[in-house]
Amino acid sequence: MNNYSNAYWLEAIQHYLGQMVAVQQTGNHVQQGVLAAVCPDYIILDVCRTPFYIRIDQIVWITPFVNHKD
């Protein structure tokens, strides 16, 4: 992955700091949690007070997580 792609992700992800998000990683794994930090190579999700480190080059998509109640 080149630096241009990482720069794009870093800028796009910054808007979600402190929010509940869902992140799909390569391998079809989706993790939900509060975006606690954005670093140059990875992000940190807070999942029930446990940090999950996800490398930026493994992110397929990230979106705000909205729990719709029926």
Side-chain angles (χ1 to χ4, degrees):
M1 183 168 240
N2 59 36
N3 289 335
Y4 177 76
S5 295
N6 276 354
Y8 168 79
W9 274 114
L10 288 172
E11 185 175 339
I13 293 170
Q14 289 288 335
H15 299 290
Y16 299 125
L17 271 174
Q19 296 181 29
M20 180 71 117
V21 295
V23 179
Q24 181 181 354
Q25 302 172 58
T26 54
N28 239 5
H29 177 74
V30 176
Q31 183 68 53
Q32 300 169 2
V34 175
L35 183 59
V38 178
C39 301
D41 293 332
Y42 59 92
I43 63 171
I44 302 173
L45 287 185
D46 180 352
V47 180
C48 297
R49 296 187 181 164
T50 301
F52 281 80
Y53 297 81
I54 300 173
R55 294 192 55 85
I56 291 194
D57 60 358
Q58 294 179 342
I59 297 173
V60 176
W61 53 254
I62 184 168
T63 187
F65 181 74
V66 179
N67 189 5
H68 294 288
K69 295 181 181 180
D70 296 331

